[in-house]
Amino acid sequence: DTGVSQDPRHKITKRGQNVTFRCDPISEHNRLYWYRQTLGQGPEFLTYFQNEAQLEKSRLLSNRFSAERPKGSFSTLEIQRTEQGDSAMYLCASSYQGGNQPQHFGDGTRLSIL
Amino acid sequence: SQELEQSPQSLIVQEGKNLTINCTSSKTLYGLYWYKQKYGEGLIFLMMLQKGGEEKSHEKITAKLDEKKQQSSLHITASQPSHAGIYLCGAAPDDNYGQNFVFGPGTRLSVLP
């Protein structure tokens, strides 16, 4: 049983650099979600896809953040010109479409900005 | 926008003791989800509640949703060190379950052997 996979697990970069994270969802799931989680807080919704369509992106934190899911399978989250405040855990989740299907999460990518 | 509050913020119990964690919403819940998270890892889905008055159990964990669908509780019976972690409630703000899903801040549980 393959769960949600995220790569890399940890990323350390200098301020101003661009970073890209990858998420491979559970293969049968057509919905994919991105969240950000800071220490001591619950995950904060960023965006989600249904197949290749990005249905909600108004919650992305700034125009430096962008996400893609070009073939409706894996997804990438890119942060351009990183800032200190971008340091956080970035979580990906996937689910079946429709109704109240629970989201299943990967182990996240921890981003540290020097 | 919908907000979720959790209480207590943290909890330390002796192994074998029972405990309850609460999740309160500012608006009616369309679906309430409980997750567990270990430090530095992703969230593990525990249970989902949708109907007012609904109650579900899995092993020693029981979750309930009140009739008004604005509050949920998670009860652990005879706690074990394996129950330690952060418990998070999450909710769909409307019947479009994918959009703008929100989480509470979490309750950190420690179980002393």
Side-chain angles (χ1 to χ4, degrees):
Chain A
D1 180 20
T2 304
V4 178
S5 177
Q6 292 190 244
D7 182 68
R9 289 294 312 277
H10 304 275
K11 179 70 176 178
I12 301 173
T13 192
K14 293 182 178 179
R15 187 178 57 184
Q17 297 295 306
N18 299 343
V19 294
T20 300
F21 311 138
R22 177 179 171 126
C23 172
D24 287 89
I26 294 171
S27 57
E28 307 88 61
H29 289 176
N30 59 357
R31 284 192 171 180
L32 186 149
Y33 311 79
W34 284 100
Y35 292 83
R36 182 180 79 158
Q37 186 178 26
T38 53
L39 200 61
Q41 300 297 317
E44 176 186 10
F45 174 88
L46 296 178
T47 186
Y48 92 107
F49 295 84
Q50 183 162 297
N51 300 312
E52 65 275 10
Q54 191 173 11
L55 298 187
E56 172 58 57
K57 57 182 179 180
S58 65
R59 303 291 293 274
L60 285 168
L61 300 166
S62 78
N63 58 12
R64 297 184 297 107
F65 287 70
S66 63
E68 292 184 345
R69 194 183 184 197
K71 297 183 179 179
S73 56
F74 73 92
S75 175
T76 57
L77 177 70
E78 181 182 15
I79 309 174
Q80 295 182 331
R81 304 180 303 281
T82 52
E83 301 174 354
Q84 291 279 354
D86 296 334
S87 294
M89 174 79 88
Y90 290 86
L91 292 162
C92 174
S94 68
S95 76
Y96 290 108
Q97 176 183 341
N100 51 12
Q101 299 298 322
Q103 298 174 36
H104 296 270
F105 283 78
D107 282 337
T109 294
R110 181 168 296 282
L111 174 65
S112 298
I113 308 297
L114 302 178
Chain B
S1 62
Q2 184 168 39
E3 292 185 358
L4 297 178
E5 295 181 354
Q6 288 187 237
S7 62
Q9 187 176 6
S10 63
L11 193 54
I12 302 174
V13 299
Q14 202 71 38
E15 182 176 0
K17 295 295 185 182
N18 302 336
L19 63 104
T20 299
I21 297 168
N22 295 300
C23 175
T24 303
S25 171
S26 57
K27 297 183 179 181
T28 299
L29 295 160
Y30 282 83
L32 189 286
Y33 301 72
W34 283 101
Y35 286 86
K36 178 185 175 184
Q37 184 178 31
K38 292 199 171 182
Y39 181 74
E41 297 181 9
L43 282 65
I44 299 170
F45 171 69
L46 297 175
M47 278 174 280
M48 178 193 72
L49 304 164
Q50 198 174 5
K51 299 177 183 177
E54 187 174 9
E55 179 175 326
K56 287 187 177 178
S57 294
H58 177 66
E59 297 180 342
K60 294 184 178 180
I61 301 176
T62 300
K64 300 178 184 179
L65 182 62
D66 76 338
E67 289 289 345
K68 294 185 178 179
K69 296 175 63 176
Q70 284 194 264
Q71 188 167 29
S72 178
S73 61
L74 185 82
H75 184 78
I76 298 177
T77 304
S79 58
Q80 300 170 351
S82 61
H83 287 127
I86 302 169
Y87 288 82
L88 295 142
C89 61
D94 52 41
D95 57 3
N96 183 358
Y97 280 83
Q99 194 160 325
N100 296 323
F101 199 85
V102 295
F103 281 93
T107 294
R108 183 179 295 273
L109 172 64
S110 300
V111 180
L112 304 177

